[in-house]
Amino acid sequence: MSYLLELHLASCNLGALPPSSPFLNITSLSVLDHSGNPFNSSIPSWLFNMSTLTKLDLYDSSLKGPIPSMLGRWNLCKIQNLYLGFNYLTGDITEMIEALSCSNQSLEFLDLSSNQLTGKLPNSLGQFTSLFDLDLSRNSVNSHTGVSGPMPTSIGNLSNLGSLNLDNNMMNGTIPESIGQLTNLYSLNLLQNYWKGTMTNIHFHNLTNLISLSVSSKHYPYALKVTNDWVPPFKNLFHIEISDCRVGPTFPYWLRNLKSLNEIILQNAGISGEIPHWWLYNMSSKIWHLDLSHNKISGYFPKEMNFTSSKSPTVDFSFNKLKGSVPLWSGVSALYLRNNLLSGTLPSNVGKEVSDLRHLDLSNNYLNGRIPLS
């Protein structure tokens, strides 16, 4: 089999990887897929010395322990796709990036998610100019481990980057303005880190292709500060999540320019005052998830909403200062209104008006009277 180009043995219930290479006489192997096997062992060093590989997939293979450093260099100089996510791998992320340096013109997909990696992202990350997808998410297994430190300013050099996922790590410091240079970026996930400082208009300056934006910081208050007349460059954004990050004190009116939104999460975002009813009504026909909980939103709920999404939307206004009677919005499948100032009785026709409802939370309000049979 000396001319073998691809070997796919994914999810074959293989129990071990050989300690020495079985491919010594195979000089053209380009794709090696061993994902989804219960190896439950460390990674043998020969895997990182296969100079012909363009794709190595060991995703979800119960691999554990440190990744071989090959004395600081791996021989994966043609590698385009490297999937090591969802294992129990340990090691320093800086050493791994340096070990991949010879593939800086070829690497396109790098998945190191859901492991136990530590260390800081080096500035040399910016040399991987062909990189399209970078996933380092969920490496924080406890409060002391995970990819840490600031995001390197060289991130702006990754001109082909389409997806960046740093969710659930220990990263801190400011998010560099150079991230606004990533004109091909369509998904940005910076949730569950310890960001400091602020994000401004400049961070989003050239992100015209963005369709999903997620930011949160465990170092509260992190802030998103944009000018009042700001018009976001990403016209096709359909998902936005800004949690534990101050975007208030008033409702962010720049959202009115985003006509494609169907998932809006602004949780614990320091928003106070009233939400414009016209915005809620106009957006409700597209929404399938709306979460504005843990703010200081006041005023009354609009009596009518236009929830006609085929996904039966979830709506969460809990932990605010909203008052009036319980709103009866048809089409909603889940309605969370706990810890507000709602008063009065539940309408007798509540079962008919909100017939799609599966989850309802009205706790810690000022309701009275009987619970209707409907």
Side-chain angles (χ1 to χ4, degrees), residues 232 234-235 237 240 254-261 283:
F234 33 83
K235 303 299 183 183
L237 195 76
I240 186 168
W254 48 268
L255 287 177
R256 69 183 183 272
N257 297 295
L258 304 176
K259 309 297 184 182
S260 299
L261 283 175
M283 293 301 299

Side-chain angles (χ1 to χ4, degrees), residues 53-193:
L53 284 185
T54 61
K55 178 180 179 178
L56 175 59
D57 193 343
L58 296 171
Y59 187 86
D60 189 18
S61 295
S62 300
L63 294 165
K64 57 187 179 182
I67 300 177
S69 65
M70 295 298 292
L71 299 177
R73 287 290 181 271
W74 295 338
N75 202 19
L76 301 176
C77 296
K78 296 182 180 180
I79 198 75
Q80 297 174 7
N81 305 281
L82 180 58
Y83 302 105
L84 301 177
F86 218 82
N87 285 288
Y88 306 95
L89 300 173
T90 60
D92 188 288
I93 190 69
T94 303
E95 293 181 6
M96 295 179 197
I97 297 299
E98 295 295 339
L100 281 167
S101 60
C102 72
S103 63
N104 60 7
Q105 296 299 316
S106 61
L107 189 64
E108 297 178 2
F109 292 84
L110 178 60
D111 185 350
L112 299 173
S113 64
S114 296
N115 281 290
Q116 300 170 18
L117 305 180
T118 57
K120 300 178 180 180
L121 283 179
N123 210 47
S124 58
L125 179 66
Q127 68 183 311
F128 296 91
T129 53
S130 297
L131 197 61
F132 179 75
D133 191 311
L134 176 61
D135 191 348
L136 304 177
S137 62
R138 299 179 300 281
N139 273 288
S140 180
V141 294
N142 56 52
S143 59
H144 302 291
T145 63
V147 180
S148 61
M151 189 188 305
T153 56
S154 65
I155 199 83
N157 297 337
L158 305 181
S159 56
N160 287 308
L161 197 65
S163 178
L164 175 61
N165 191 350
L166 302 176
D167 177 23
N168 207 342
N169 277 288
M170 300 290 292
M171 300 193 70
N172 53 41
T174 59
I175 298 173
E177 293 180 346
S178 60
I179 205 168
Q181 302 171 17
L182 304 178
T183 56
N184 289 309
L185 199 67
Y186 67 86
S187 179
L188 177 62
N189 188 341
L190 304 177
L191 293 172
Q192 297 294 312
N193 283 280

Side-chain angles (χ1 to χ4, degrees), residues 2-3 6 15 32 38-39 111 193 197 210 214 230 262 270 278 281 292 303 322 325 350:
S2 58
Y3 295 101
E6 301 190 15
L32 184 59
F39 291 128
D111 185 350
N193 283 280
L210 205 63
S214 305
W230 183 53
N262 56 36
W278 57 264
Y281 185 84
L292 297 176
K303 291 184 177 180
L322 289 152
S325 58
V350 60

